[in-house]
Amino acid sequence: PMKKIYLYGNWKMNMLPFEGEEFCRTLGNKMQGDIYSSEMIQVCLFPPFLTIPEVLKSLPEDVPAACGAQDGYFEDRGAFTGEVSMDMVKAVGCSHVLVGHSERRHIFGESNEIVAKKLAKAIETGLKTVLCFGETLDERESGKTLAVVREQLESAFAGLDKDKSCCRVILAYEPVWAIGTGKNARPEDAQEVCAFAAKMAGDYFGTHPKIPVLYGGSVKESNALDLLSQHDIDGALVGGASLKVDSFLGIYENYRKISV
Ligand code: 13P
C-alpha cells in the first residue's frame, strides 16, 4: 500500500533557534529520493514560538516540509499577557497549529471548551489544525476510552464551520499514558481509537478525502512499522524522537522500507 504518511514533530519546549536551523539543514539533506516526494510524505515541525522564524527561514523549499505552532489563543488581540493569537501564528508564515495537546490540557488546565474555541479560531484563520485528544490511564483502565474520546471530539467539532473545516482539520490521537513514557499504545488499540475518530469526523464533516488521523505517544523507529501499518493511522505525531533528524526520519523509513 502506498499511503501518504504524515510525519509531524512536536518539539515541545526544546530547541533554541540555532538548533532549529541546524535541524532544518540536515533535514533538507536527508529528505532526498523518491520516498520523500510530496505524494509519499508530509513533514511538519512544531517548534517553540521563538524558534519558528529560524525554522521557517531554513526549511528547504524543495522538500515537503512545513512549520506550525504548538498552540494559539482564541482571541485576536488584547490584554492577554503571554498569549499568541492564531493570526500571529499565520502572519509569521506558519501553515499549521496544534490545539488541545495533552500537556496543555493537563499541565495548563485547558478544558474541552477552551480547546473548542481555539480550534474554531484556528480554522477560521485558515490554519491547518491538529486537534489532539486522548484518554488518561485511569480512563482506559475503567473502560471509558471511547466515551472520553467521543466527548473530546464532539465538543471540539460543535462550534465549527463544516465547509471550512473539512480540509483543515487533522486529528491526533495521543493517549496521555503513552506520551513521553516510552510505552506506546498497542497498534490494535491505537487502530481502534483512530478508526473511531475517523468515523466520527466522517459522519460530522462528510468529507472526501477523509480527515487524516495521526497517532502520538512514544512513537520511535522500532514501533513505527506496526503503528503506521494500521488501516486508520495516517501518520505520527512525534515528541522525543523528533528532536534528532535521524530518529525522526527513521520512523518513516522503517515504515516505507517494508511497505513500498
Ligand atoms: P513522545 O513521542 O515524546 O511520547 O511525545 C508524544 C507527543 O506528545 C507528541 O505531541
Side-chain angles (χ1 to χ4, degrees):
M2 298 287 279
K3 76 176 173 187
K4 175 172 173 169
I5 294 289
Y6 296 78
L7 183 66
Y8 283 13
N10 173 11
W11 288 353
K12 308 191 179 182
M13 201 175 71
N14 299 288
M15 303 288 254
L16 292 164
F18 86 91
E19 295 170 307
E21 190 267 329
E22 239 168 62
F23 185 102
C24 291
R25 211 167 350 107
T26 312
L27 188 77
N29 292 334
K30 300 212 166 152
M31 283 181 71
Q32 297 298 329
D34 294 347
I35 66 165
Y36 286 108
S37 72
S38 58
E39 290 81 52
M40 300 282 261
I41 187 168
Q42 204 227 337
V43 167
C44 189
L45 304 172
F46 295 87
F49 287 124
L50 294 176
T51 298
I52 287 174
E54 199 62 39
V55 165
L56 282 168
K57 231 183 348 187
S58 32
L59 264 186
E61 272 166 33
D62 60 342
V63 299
C67 180
Q70 296 170 16
D71 192 23
Y73 199 52
F74 55 77
E75 298 283 1
D76 288 325
R77 291 288 179 276
F80 303 103
T81 302
E83 291 300 314
V84 168
S85 69
M86 294 294 179
D87 72 328
M88 290 170 182
V89 167
K90 179 106 191 286
V92 294
C94 287
S95 50
H96 289 63
V97 67
L98 303 180
V99 300
H101 190 275
S102 107
E103 285 143 24
R104 299 300 319 170
R105 294 177 189 262
H106 297 282
I107 303 176
F108 301 102
E110 283 186 19
S111 60
N112 280 342
E113 196 187 344
I114 290 177
V115 173
K117 286 187 183 173
K118 289 184 170 183
L119 176 63
K121 178 56 79 172
I123 296 294
E124 189 193 310
T125 307
L127 291 162
K128 295 215 160 72
T129 311
V130 184
L131 169 65
C132 307
F133 62 96
E135 82 287 1
T136 63
L137 187 57
D138 258 13
E139 289 162 346
R140 172 158 288 269
E141 286 176 345
S142 49
K144 291 191 202 131
T145 298
L146 295 184
V148 168
V149 166
R150 173 184 293 283
E151 197 182 330
Q152 287 174 330
L153 295 183
E154 262 172 6
S155 60
F157 292 165
L160 291 183
D161 175 325
K162 286 192 194 187
D163 291 336
K164 284 188 192 153
S165 306
C166 60
C167 43
R168 295 184 192 159
V169 174
I170 296 162
L171 300 176
Y173 169 52
E174 298 204 303
V176 179
W177 49 271
I179 297 177
T181 57
K183 231 175 82 174
N184 58 284
R186 290 189 306 160
E188 57 272 32
D189 291 337
Q191 158 61 23
E192 182 194 18
V193 179
C194 290
F196 179 80
K199 169 90 173 43
M200 269 189 74
D203 290 349
Y204 192 84
F205 300 109
T207 49
H208 298 276
K210 95 182 245 295
I211 287 181
V213 185
L214 281 49
Y215 166 80
S218 299
V219 179
K220 49 193 172 231
E221 288 165 79
S222 58
N223 58 24
L225 176 62
D226 283 347
L227 288 162
L228 293 176
S229 301
Q230 299 299 316
H231 184 264
D232 289 288
I233 300 182
D234 301 302
L237 180 54
V238 187
S242 74
L243 299 175
K244 291 275 181 307
V245 175
D246 283 346
S247 51
F248 185 49
L249 294 183
I251 289 167
Y252 173 67
E253 291 185 355
N254 266 309
Y255 169 75
R256 198 53 91 190
K257 252 181 262 163
I258 317 276
S259 61
V260 278

